[in-house]
Amino acid sequence: MAEVGALVNRNSSNHLIMPKSDEGRIPLPERIDYEPEGMRVQTLHSAACALFAAVSYIFQTEDDVVTAEQVSQVVGFSRYHLSRMFQMFFQESPRDLIVRTRQERAAIKLKNSSRQVGTIALEEGYANAESFTRAFRTEYGTTPRDFRRSSMDWRLPCPSDLHWSETLDSLPLLDGGAVEIEVVLMPPVRLATYRNVGSYGATSDGWRELEARLPNRPWERAGTRIFSVYHDDWLIRTEPRQRCDLGFSIQPGIRIPTGLHELIIPRGLYVATRRAMSREENADVWPQITGRWLPRRGTRPQNIPALSEHTEWPLAGQDVPRKVYLGLDVELSPPWEIADQSLPARQY
């Protein structure tokens, strides 16, 4: 479980310090200030990473009964603090989540295998089939054998919509913000990108320029992902020199097109919107996400990955839905300055 433990971010030295603006004198502030409720932003970061590690441990540990004490030791939280985090983000105690998802895993085995009930009971840490049947009936209202023959869903009701999965790649959170949030384990993604410099609210010229450079439209290939990667502070409303890399995923070994440059989105944990949203649905999604989740020291402590993944090629006049990501335990290298994008690109 070394990798799970390594996902925990224990750096909690920073907290959110927000300057107060005079709304009477500045009707349209250059900086948008959000005050998270009840928890410092750096604490949100460490909590999200620790919760991902905790749930990964619960889901992956099958050969013994997992206890809340074991989980707290894995993530380095006290049992009290772990319970507080679970109640805040999942509205369940660690024990309730352990019991529920253990039963869900057993229910999946009943549906998808022909193993005996007693065998499944032992695999899930029960002393015998009888004790497993009693616990299963409490959760599902029926016996394991009757459940296997029924069309009942294996998912048990829960506030957070967090259910057992063999491989945990996303973790829904109830954080009280304006949009639904999840923590995502992102694999590394290699991008071919074009540097746009200007206000983040007006990147359509950059997308047009990139489209004009690539008449074969490589972003239309199956499986290609389209990203904007922001290098500067999203809480600044008006900034004419904001740097944004616009591009699309490209497989390892494929040459980066002339005039573009390579950027690697690093593997790691990201807080993200649960779904792609259009600007009509939520025009201020980025200020809302960064205001609640971006640790602040001055304008920006380091180059935390801030990404929009677009459902299609974004151009002026099109309200293309986007899913946004903000890095939790990862950091981009500082963006080098591009003097001339018409020349063959250097590498990051």
Side-chain angles (χ1 to χ4, degrees), residues 243-293:
R243 296 162 298 176
C244 180
D245 284 325
L246 313 176
F248 53 93
S249 61
I250 190 166
Q251 293 297 317
I254 303 299
R255 186 179 66 84
I256 300 295
T258 299
L260 304 185
H261 61 277
E262 179 185 69
L263 188 149
I264 304 295
I265 297 175
R267 178 188 185 275
L269 293 179
Y270 294 73
V271 62
T273 55
R274 290 200 206 176
R275 62 183 181 87
M277 291 184 293
S278 66
R279 286 180 176 80
E280 183 179 359
E281 291 180 279
N282 192 318
D284 289 331
V285 63
W286 262 118
Q288 290 163 359
I289 294 294
T290 53
R292 289 186 62 82
W293 286 91

Side-chain angles (χ1 to χ4, degrees), residues 84-242:
R84 179 172 174 264
M85 294 300 98
F86 269 63
Q87 291 288 357
M88 178 177 296
F89 288 106
F90 304 137
Q91 295 182 9
E92 284 183 289
S93 70
R95 183 183 182 280
D96 288 343
L97 187 141
I98 289 168
V99 170
R100 178 176 60 78
T101 56
R102 183 180 170 201
Q103 291 285 356
E104 288 182 337
R105 182 169 59 193
I108 291 174
K109 291 178 179 179
L110 289 167
K111 290 287 190 182
N112 297 339
S113 77
S114 58
R115 279 176 282 184
Q116 296 294 320
V117 171
T119 301
I120 294 175
L122 294 175
E123 290 174 349
E124 295 302 327
Y126 291 91
N128 50 53
E130 288 74 21
S131 61
F132 170 62
T133 297
R134 286 195 298 271
F136 193 90
R137 188 195 294 272
T138 298
E139 297 294 335
Y140 287 92
T142 188
T143 66
R145 288 184 175 84
D146 288 342
F147 177 85
R148 174 172 267 167
R149 293 191 293 264
S150 75
S151 59
M152 291 177 61
D153 192 351
W154 60 268
R155 299 172 186 85
L156 289 166
C158 64
S160 66
D161 199 30
L162 170 59
H163 302 283
W164 185 84
S165 62
E166 186 173 2
T167 302
L168 184 67
D169 54 13
S170 65
L171 183 69
L173 298 182
L174 300 169
D175 86 320
V179 294
E180 292 185 335
I181 292 298
E182 64 182 1
V183 176
V184 176
L185 180 59
M186 176 90 79
V189 183
R190 179 176 182 246
L191 302 180
T193 61
Y194 171 83
R195 174 67 53 80
N196 186 80
V197 179
S199 170
Y200 283 159
T203 59
S204 56
D205 287 345
W207 286 110
R208 272 197 301 271
E209 173 63 25
L210 180 54
E211 183 178 45
R213 291 169 178 245
L214 302 168
N216 60 338
R217 305 174 72 86
W219 59 86
E220 293 183 348
R221 295 169 186 159
T224 300
R225 303 171 71 180
I226 302 168
F227 284 95
S228 300
V229 182
Y230 309 101
H231 294 290
D232 295 302
D233 194 340
W234 249 107
L235 290 182
I236 303 293
R237 186 186 291 273
T238 55
E239 172 52 64
R241 297 292 298 172
Q242 288 176 321

